């Protein structure tokens, strides 16, 4: 297939991820548009390749009518780029082009052939560097996870993103400790139950979890056996009120299906309400776990 000049590797990867969010009918229609119906495609894979090959610039593709505002919004959210829900299409397109020109794409989600969606978190740049750095993975994972989870809070007015059990290992375990007046411990085992309980926090209880991604609020540890622990502290809100703080420790393990694919193996979530904090500062909470405590949590 002819590949016309114009798209950098980063732009091509980004455009591809936006096209993956489109319906099959819209992809076929867009393929007809960019080729003036000169090329007949048989399926969505051919349609995507044709669109990318005949697109002269990333800006041209983002301006296409079939590339709806909501698609660009969802793409940026998956990249960990927060935009106001009422942003206009041209503003979203401008921010997307800025992201691509920086040469770094933080988060992308790929569908593996014949299987559910895998979370793919990788450092990418125009040189194709993918050296593993646990601290970078921790930043990327938290941006992706909380953006995804918060999108299901109806008060934000955002389109809900692709949440589900596909982001967890089948035997994932969730420990949820809540201190709001009284103390309550809940435990859930299995991808379906863990997924449903976590999304209920934002979708049903309308909580908004805001992680503190500064060094005092985020810690990442990598074990020699492939487990990466990501611990993050943050604040919990409902509407305009700050209800308290949380500390969340995730255990992540690479999927053997693909080198840069990670899934959640364990979640330890501790929530403390304002009354349990005794007037302590909540604006940018710090982690209370030390490294040895983190290793014990997810052992």
């Amino acid at each position: 297939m002819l590949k016309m000049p114009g798209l950098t590797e980063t732009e091509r990867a980004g455009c591809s991820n936006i096209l993956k969010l489109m319906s099959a009918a819209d992809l076929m229609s867009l393929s007809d548009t960019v080729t003036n119906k000169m090329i007949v495609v048989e399926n969505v894979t051919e349609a995507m390749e044709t669109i990318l090959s005949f697109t002269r610039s990333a800006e041209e593709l983002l301006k296409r009518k079939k590339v709806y505002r909501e698609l660009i919004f969802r793409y940026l959210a998956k990249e960990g780029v927060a935009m106001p829900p009422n942003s206009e299409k041209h503003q979203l397109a401008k921010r997307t082009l800025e992201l691509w020109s920086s040469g770094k794409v933080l988060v992308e989600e790929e569908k593996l052939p014949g299987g559910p969606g895998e979370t793919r978190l990788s450092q990418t740049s125009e040189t194709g560097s993918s050296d593993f750095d646990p601290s970078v993975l921790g930043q990327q994972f938290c941006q992706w996870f909380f953006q995804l989870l918060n999108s299901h809070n109806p008060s934000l007015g955002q389109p809900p993103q692709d949440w589900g059990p596909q982001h967890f290992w089948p035997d994932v375990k969730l420990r949820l400790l809540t201190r709001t007046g009284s103390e309550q411990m809940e435990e859930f085992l299995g991808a379906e139950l863990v997924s449903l309980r976590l999304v209920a926090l934002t979708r049903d209880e309308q909580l908004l979890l805001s992680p503190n991604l500064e060094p005092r609020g985020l810690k990442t540890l990598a074990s020699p056996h492939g487990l990466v622990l990501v611990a993050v502290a943050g604040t919990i809100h409902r509407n305009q009120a700050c209800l308290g703080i949380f500390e969340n420790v995730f255990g992540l393990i690479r999927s053997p299906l693909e080198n840069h694919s990670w899934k959640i193996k364990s979640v330890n979530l501790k929530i403390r309400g304002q009354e349990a904090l005794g007037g302590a500062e909540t604006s940018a909470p710090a982690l209370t776990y030390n490294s040895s405590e983190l290793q014990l949590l997810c052992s």
Side-chain angles (χ1 to χ4, degrees):
M1 182 76 68
L2 172 68
K3 180 181 175 183
M4 299 179 68
L7 294 180
T8 66
E9 289 297 321
T10 303
E11 288 171 345
R12 187 176 174 86
C15 288
S16 176
N17 283 330
I18 290 177
L19 294 177
K20 289 175 185 176
L21 300 174
M22 295 175 64
S23 69
D26 281 347
L27 277 173
M28 296 298 196
S29 173
L30 183 55
S31 178
D32 285 343
T33 299
V34 299
T35 65
N36 288 322
K37 297 187 177 181
M38 296 290 288
I39 293 181
V40 177
V41 295
E42 300 293 333
N43 52 52
V44 294
T45 302
E46 288 185 11
M48 285 177 55
E49 183 60 35
T50 300
I51 292 165
L52 293 172
S53 297
F54 282 82
T55 293
R56 291 186 293 270
S57 71
E59 184 178 12
E60 174 191 82
L61 181 66
L62 293 174
K63 285 183 176 179
R64 296 286 186 185
K65 286 183 180 179
K66 292 291 184 183
V67 182
Y68 302 122
R69 171 198 167 280
E70 290 75 15
L71 297 179
I72 307 176
F73 185 93
R74 285 174 59 195
Y75 168 76
L76 286 173
K78 289 186 179 211
E79 293 292 340
V81 179
M83 294 289 288
N86 59 350
S87 298
E88 296 182 7
K89 181 180 175 179
H90 71 89
Q91 295 170 316
L92 297 170
K94 181 174 181 288
R95 183 66 186 90
T96 303
L97 292 171
E98 289 171 354
L99 175 68
W100 292 342
S101 66
S102 73
K104 293 182 179 179
V105 178
L106 294 182
V107 180
E108 66 181 38
E109 185 172 66
E110 291 189 351
K111 301 291 185 183
L112 297 182
E118 295 283 348
T119 307
R120 178 178 168 129
L121 295 161
S122 61
Q123 273 182 280
T124 61
S125 68
E126 296 207 356
T127 60
S129 172
S130 58
D131 295 331
F132 178 65
D133 182 339
S135 63
V136 173
L137 173 66
Q139 283 268 353
Q140 294 177 359
F141 172 79
C142 287
Q143 286 177 320
W144 168 82
F145 179 87
F146 291 103
Q147 188 88 26
L148 176 62
L149 186 60
N150 286 331
S151 75
H152 289 265
N153 185 326
S155 68
L156 294 185
Q158 295 182 5
Q161 296 173 36
D162 185 26
W163 179 268
Q166 69 270 21
H167 302 304
F168 302 86
W169 285 95
D171 59 349
V172 62
K173 186 173 186 178
L174 165 65
R175 293 191 190 99
L176 174 57
L177 176 63
T178 310
R179 290 178 182 149
T180 53
S182 60
E183 183 171 299
Q184 181 180 0
M185 167 69 85
E186 301 174 69
E187 291 197 355
F188 300 87
L189 184 63
E192 190 70 38
L193 288 177
V194 170
S195 169
L196 289 172
R197 182 62 185 99
L198 287 173
V199 80
L201 294 172
T202 54
R203 185 189 60 208
D204 303 331
E205 300 173 44
Q206 297 196 17
L207 300 178
L208 183 71
L209 280 68
S210 178
N212 175 19
L213 301 183
E214 297 300 316
R216 63 196 298 266
L218 178 66
K219 182 188 287 285
T220 310
L221 294 174
S223 82
H225 308 296
L227 176 70
V228 174
L229 300 179
V230 178
V232 63
T235 49
I236 300 178
H237 308 259
R238 183 183 290 126
N239 299 322
Q240 302 303 314
C242 179
L243 303 182
I245 66 174
F246 72 88
E247 289 185 89
N248 206 340
V249 184
F250 299 93
L252 307 180
I253 296 180
R254 283 185 194 270
S255 166
L257 299 177
E258 190 168 330
N259 282 339
H260 295 290
S261 181
W262 295 85
K263 290 175 117 175
I264 302 168
K265 178 73 169 176
S266 60
V267 186
N268 286 274
L269 176 57
K270 183 166 65 176
I271 294 174
R272 287 183 287 167
Q274 289 282 16
E275 61 270 33
L277 295 173
E281 176 62 42
T282 62
S283 59
L287 281 169
T288 60
Y289 294 109
N290 61 37
S291 296
S292 58
E293 288 172 330
L294 290 180
Q295 290 170 335
L296 284 174
L297 262 181
C298 292
S299 60

